[in-house]
Amino acid sequence: MAEFPFQRPRRLRTTPAMRRMVAETRLHPADLILPAFVREGISEPTPINAMPGVVQHTRDTLRKAAAEAVAAGVGGIMLFGLPLVKDAVGSQGTDPDGILQKAIRDVRAEVGDDLVVMSDLCLDEYTDHGHCGVLDSEGRVDNDATLERYAEMARVQADAGVHVVGPSGMMDGQVRVIREALDAAGHQDVSVLAYTAKYASAFYGPFREAVNSSLRGDRKTYQQDPANAREAMRELALDLAEGADMVMVKPALPYLDILRQVADAVDVPVAAYQISGEYSMVEAAAANGWIDRDAAIMETLLGVRRAGAGMILTYWATEVAVRLRGV
């Protein structure tokens, strides 16, 4: 008998129906979380130039976006507040009537428990220097003084009705301090999504415009070095020991190896954040006719899901959820 391939993997790729049936990785609308920005003092949504299709919402348009996300089957929404006034300690971040707390109440009033309402727990949107914490006399981020601010932020966000807080500042001990503050205030049911491995990435650029960032310099002294992988596993162990309910890797695509390691190591839900630069690269290339936009979006999300993320924060959440449901 002449030599000939007996095994033909191509048999399982012959038709769309066959490929769909044997697909190893699937996306579901509930896997997706929509990051959304709400800006104080505007009467119309403000487009973000570096992120085509994404806007800074008014309170009213944010409510509409949340309702649309529910209708599409999106799993959650992550809220970022953009205040009119900033100061050295980010006072608006802990004001019960600050823009983020108002937005949490607005969204909960609109969708109730039909959407998991998450909030960014960080000071960078509220500080006039743009860092994620308060500064010491030498201009360095003071880790422990920042933790006191985070505890207060956790309490006011929980009082506003948030389901999940997302501490993104990469301060040592932040998960424990936030968990203790929530429990002491009677908010034992509020979950903590730990930004476990948040890297000092070059891909955050468009986000800086999205949140009207005042940052001078960089955040390399507290966000992780892109060169390091073992360090992420150390951060993971600490976050879990401190009481994290869920963990996250950010960014997503440049750190799929980290995401895989984290997913293999834990028994809690794992998220990944497909950040602004990832979004903007696809949109820019598609606008120039260099790639198929819809196919590229789905491929990137499948890659993140395949690497181990059970939840994906993506600015395409509602659009992709609609596509997945065929509605």
Side-chain angles (χ1 to χ4, degrees):
M1 182 176 180
E3 292 186 7
F4 195 80
F6 181 69
Q7 298 291 338
R8 291 182 178 268
R10 286 176 58 190
R11 294 187 187 108
L12 302 183
R13 306 169 193 155
T14 51
T15 67
M18 178 67 78
R19 294 191 295 273
R20 184 169 60 249
M21 184 178 72
V22 301
E24 300 172 23
T25 305
R26 300 181 193 276
L27 285 172
H28 188 277
D31 301 335
L32 306 177
I33 299 167
L34 176 68
F37 309 102
V38 58
R39 179 176 171 181
E40 189 173 24
I42 59 173
S43 58
E44 297 291 337
T46 301
I48 300 167
N49 292 329
M51 300 177 69
V54 181
V55 301
Q56 296 170 337
H57 283 286
T58 68
R59 290 174 62 188
D60 285 341
T61 63
L62 177 65
R63 291 176 69 128
K64 181 180 178 183
E68 290 173 348
V70 170
V74 169
I77 188 168
M78 175 66 79
L79 302 177
F80 296 84
L82 284 59
L84 276 174
V85 178
K86 303 180 183 184
D87 60 26
V89 297
S91 299
Q92 289 298 302
T94 51
D95 183 344
D97 289 321
I99 183 60
L100 180 55
Q101 285 67 254
K102 289 179 178 177
I104 293 168
R105 290 192 289 269
D106 288 343
V107 172
R108 283 300 307 276
E110 184 71 28
V111 302
D113 292 330
D114 292 339
L115 189 67
V116 178
V117 180
M118 305 177 169
S119 55
D120 180 58
L121 200 164
C122 194
L123 287 171
D124 59 319
E125 294 101 316
Y126 308 99
T127 55
D128 53 14
H129 48 73
H131 278 287
C132 296
V134 297
L135 305 183
D136 63 18
S137 59
E138 297 183 15
R140 301 171 302 188
V141 175
D142 186 327
N143 189 97
D144 295 0
T146 298
L147 293 182
E148 295 179 17
R149 301 287 294 128
Y150 284 5
E152 189 174 354
M153 290 186 81
R155 286 190 290 268
V156 297
Q157 291 178 6
D159 287 344
V162 80
H163 295 111
V164 179
V165 295
S168 60
M170 289 299 289
M171 298 296 124
D172 294 338
Q174 63 185 14
V175 172
R176 177 179 176 179
V177 166
I178 289 166
R179 182 72 270 158
E180 290 177 347
L182 290 169
D183 289 352
H187 293 298
Q188 292 89 348
D189 289 340
V190 174
S191 300
V192 178
L193 168 58
Y195 282 59
T196 290
K198 183 178 180 182
Y199 283 86
S201 174
F203 292 96
Y204 294 134
F207 183 86
R208 303 280 161 78
E209 178 191 344
V211 297
N212 299 336
S213 176
S214 304
L215 181 65
R216 298 183 292 273
D218 58 50
R219 297 176 176 141
K220 293 181 180 179
T221 59
Y222 47 101
Q223 292 179 352
Q224 280 189 240
D225 187 335
N228 293 349
R230 287 194 303 270
E231 182 182 36
M233 303 310 290
R234 183 184 184 193
E235 292 277 6
L236 174 65
L238 290 169
D239 282 350
L240 292 174
E242 291 174 19
D245 299 288
M246 299 171 274
V247 297
M248 190 197 299
V249 175
K250 180 181 180 181
L253 287 179
Y255 298 94
L256 294 181
D257 60 323
I258 307 300
L259 178 57
R260 181 75 268 165
Q261 290 182 57
V262 168
D264 287 344
V266 302
D267 57 4
V268 299
V270 177
Y273 198 142
Q274 186 182 57
I275 66 169
S276 59
E278 300 173 58
Y279 174 93
S280 297
M281 286 192 301
V282 171
E283 291 288 353
N288 279 282
W290 297 335
I291 60 173
D292 180 326
R293 177 183 180 274
D294 291 354
I297 289 170
M298 298 305 290
E299 186 174 340
T300 60
L301 290 170
L302 278 170
V304 177
R305 185 75 176 83
R306 190 181 64 246
M311 304 174 291
I312 305 172
L313 285 82
T314 174
Y315 299 97
W316 290 304
T318 302
E319 174 188 341
V320 170
V322 169
R323 193 184 314 166
L324 291 172
R325 289 172 60 131
V327 296

